[in-house]
Amino acid sequence: MMPRLGASAAYRIAFTYSCAFALAILVLGIAVYYAADAQFRHQQDVGIAAGSTLLMREYREGGIPDLREAITKREVHESDGGYHYALFDEAGVRSGGTLDIARPEPGRRDLIVKAPDGQTRPERALVTQLPGGYRFVIAADLEALERIDRIILELFSAAFLIVVLMGVAGALLLGTYLRSRLSRISGTAQAIAGGDLDHRIAVSDRNDEFDQLGSALNAMLDRIARLLENLRQVSSDVAHDLRTPLARLRGQVEAALDGDQDPAVLRRSLKRALAQSDELLSLFAAILRIAEVESGALARHFTAVNITDLATDLYESYAPAVADQGRTLESTVQAGVNIVGDRELIAQALINLLDNAQRHTPVATDILISAKATTQHIILSVSDNGPGVVPHDRTLIVRRFARLDASRSMPGHGLGLNLAAAIAEAHKGRLLIEDNGPGLRVSLLLPVHSTKA
């Protein structure tokens, strides 16, 4: 249903623009009208002055008689009414010319002249004071000038009316177009509010401002949908993951209360309960850490990070522990790799990848940590030659609490890769899981923001 024009912001904007344009045309037309009128009058004054100069030459050569004779000749030759003349004596009596007016004051002025048919007409005159009290008047008919002014005014009025009509039509079309494009956004918002979280704004191939806004809003909705999915997943997985350790904790507390009251036995039970509590606290700490990273607030504190030094330090720290577990850790770290980011977060992501590589590979597995820079990315990888992960499970293991161990007998909560992915996204990058042929390679692809560390 079409809303009232006054209630639509799109129509208000369109009509405001149309009115502003019409006002500008009106101001321009008025300025042109008065400028043209002033120019025509100036040209007329120049013509009158030139005619007066010629007749004053006759006066200087032969006095009043020659001036009167020259006036008569000119009136005969200018019978078409181009100029009109009058000569008044000191008493105000017209002694030459046919201009039917009372003796005017000297100077330039507009006069109302009586025509032979009894009608009056406006004329522009130049009155010259002569010796002996005489006054010479030369005047030009203003009807032609006023006729030109009327033509200009009529043409401008017609043009202005056309402009206004075109402006109204354009405003209606523009308002309809704006409302149509905005209705797509509002329709999507209403659908989302109604529970249809999969609804998105239609985006055309033109990539104009509305399409860019639609793309940005679609990206925002996609992120909100992912967050909601994560929230649902977290709610389900937290309940599932907490059930077993809480049941164990409760069982240990009950066994301690109902069992042998020997202090040593009670102490062992309390230690086991404390270990279960620490496991639960570590779970919640990991969840809070992921939430903190995903909020994006840490990006304000990014500084220059020397990735070469970071990867080298982690290799030197982890190599002995990896060797103690029967695996080998090697490194290929490119020199001079730098980035703007959070050193602690990047280190945490690499540590999680190293822990996963150790936890999910058999003894005698070779693990490699690498760091290199390309023209577009800083690539930090941890790869192994273990059993790897089948392709359809590679997107699953990044999800929060996702574990390929269905029995959940192995230690951990399935948050390591999810935290690594969140850290990559916080740095405007992404986590890439690939086949290492054999084994698995997990990489942090971070955009290049080079700086000297």
Side-chain angles (χ1 to χ4, degrees):
M1 182 178 178
M2 180 72 71
R4 291 184 298 106
L5 294 184
S8 171
Y11 285 112
R12 286 201 303 273
I13 293 172
F15 277 103
T16 298
Y17 173 78
S18 179
C19 289
F21 181 72
L23 181 61
I25 293 295
L26 178 62
V27 172
L28 177 63
I30 293 174
V32 170
Y33 172 79
Y34 280 105
D37 180 75
Q39 183 62 28
F40 288 143
R41 289 181 179 274
H42 173 71
Q43 292 297 328
Q44 194 171 55
D45 286 343
V46 170
I48 292 173
S52 177
T53 300
L54 292 175
L55 289 173
M56 287 301 97
R57 187 180 303 164
E58 298 285 345
Y59 168 74
R60 287 191 295 273
E61 291 177 356
I64 293 296
D66 283 4
L67 176 59
R68 187 179 293 113
E69 183 179 354
I71 289 174
T72 302
K73 289 180 180 180
R74 280 183 174 270
E75 287 185 335
V76 172
H77 291 117
E78 296 175 2
S79 58
D80 57 349
Y83 291 101
H84 305 101
Y85 308 92
L87 181 63
F88 294 92
D89 59 18
E90 185 177 8
V93 176
R94 179 160 52 90
S95 60
T98 59
L99 195 60
D100 189 4
I101 55 171
R103 190 175 80 154
E105 295 297 321
R108 298 183 185 276
R109 60 191 65 256
D110 293 334
L111 303 175
I112 301 299
V113 179
K114 183 182 294 185
D117 57 2
Q119 300 294 323
T120 58
R121 64 173 183 267
E123 293 201 8
R124 180 70 171 170
L126 174 62
V127 183
T128 304
Q129 182 70 42
L130 301 176
Y134 285 91
R135 287 182 187 174
F136 167 63
V137 180
I138 177 173
D141 193 349
L142 288 178
E143 284 187 351
L145 177 59
E146 291 182 350
R147 188 163 49 252
I148 294 174
D149 287 344
R150 284 194 301 271
I151 292 173
I152 293 176
L153 190 59
E154 290 171 358
L155 290 175
F156 171 73
S157 297
F160 181 72
L161 179 59
I162 294 174
V163 167
V164 169
L165 293 176
M166 292 179 62
V168 171
L172 290 173
L173 291 175
L174 178 60
T176 302
Y177 174 75
L178 292 176
R179 183 172 175 271
S180 173
R181 296 301 298 270
L182 293 173
S183 65
R184 300 181 188 178
I185 299 175
S186 62
T188 299
Q190 291 171 3
I192 295 293
D196 182 7
L197 300 182
D198 294 328
H199 198 89
R200 293 295 181 267
I201 300 169
V203 178
S204 69
D205 297 331
R206 291 189 297 270
N207 196 31
D208 57 19
E209 290 80 359
F210 287 104
D211 293 323
Q212 294 172 13
L213 175 60
S215 298
L217 291 176
N218 286 340
M220 179 190 70
L221 292 173
D222 289 340
R223 179 164 178 79
I224 291 174
R226 289 195 300 269
L227 292 176
L228 289 175
E229 177 61 27
N230 285 341
L231 180 60
R232 285 192 292 267
Q233 179 194 349
V234 167
S235 301
S236 174
D237 291 341
V238 164
H240 187 277
D241 276 45
L242 288 182
R243 183 181 303 168
T244 300
L246 285 175
R248 290 175 183 171
L249 180 60
R250 189 178 188 279
Q252 291 166 2
V253 173
E254 285 182 345
L257 291 174
D258 298 336
D260 191 353
Q261 298 300 312
D262 180 59
V265 176
L266 290 175
R267 185 174 182 82
R268 286 194 298 273
S269 297
L270 288 175
K271 284 185 176 181
R272 287 194 295 270
L274 180 61
Q276 290 290 331
S277 299
D278 288 341
E279 185 180 354
L280 292 173
L281 289 175
S282 67
L283 171 62
F284 283 110
I287 295 173
L288 291 175
R289 184 60 167 165
I290 292 174
E292 181 183 19
V293 173
E294 288 181 339
S295 69
L298 297 176
R300 295 194 298 268
H301 306 293
F302 282 2
T303 57
V305 179
N306 189 315
I307 296 297
T308 300
D309 292 345
L310 174 60
T312 302
D313 291 343
L314 287 178
Y315 164 71
E316 294 175 351
S317 300
Y318 267 73
V322 173
D324 289 343
Q325 294 181 1
R327 300 170 180 83
T328 60
L329 178 64
E330 300 294 336
S331 72
T332 56
V333 179
Q334 180 180 324
V337 180
N338 302 287
I339 198 173
V340 174
D342 188 302
R343 179 184 174 87
E344 180 183 350
L345 289 179
I346 297 173
Q348 181 65 62
L350 288 175
I351 290 171
N352 288 356
L353 299 184
L354 287 171
D355 288 343
N356 278 346
Q358 295 178 81
R359 185 177 295 126
H360 301 291
T361 57
V363 175
T365 298
D366 297 326
I367 302 173
L368 174 67
I369 180 172
S370 65
K372 65 178 181 179
T374 67
T375 56
Q376 295 182 335
H377 294 99
I378 303 294
I379 304 176
L380 304 175
S381 301
V382 174
S383 56
D384 61 69
N385 60 352
V389 177
V390 295
H392 69 269
D393 285 338
R394 291 173 189 169
T395 56
L396 174 64
I397 60 177
V398 181
R399 295 176 59 184
R400 201 167 299 180
F401 295 107
R403 298 169 67 179
L404 299 182
D405 173 27
S407 64
R408 295 182 179 250
S409 58
M410 297 184 64
H413 302 291
L415 295 174
L417 286 179
N418 185 261
L419 177 57
I423 291 172
E425 289 186 5
H427 288 80
K428 308 301 182 184
R430 59 191 178 95
L431 188 72
L432 181 64
I433 302 178
E434 302 172 294
D435 182 31
N436 195 41
L440 192 70
R441 180 169 61 250
V442 184
S443 305
L444 293 172
L445 270 68
L446 308 179
V448 174
H449 296 294
S450 298
T451 183
K452 292 183 180 180

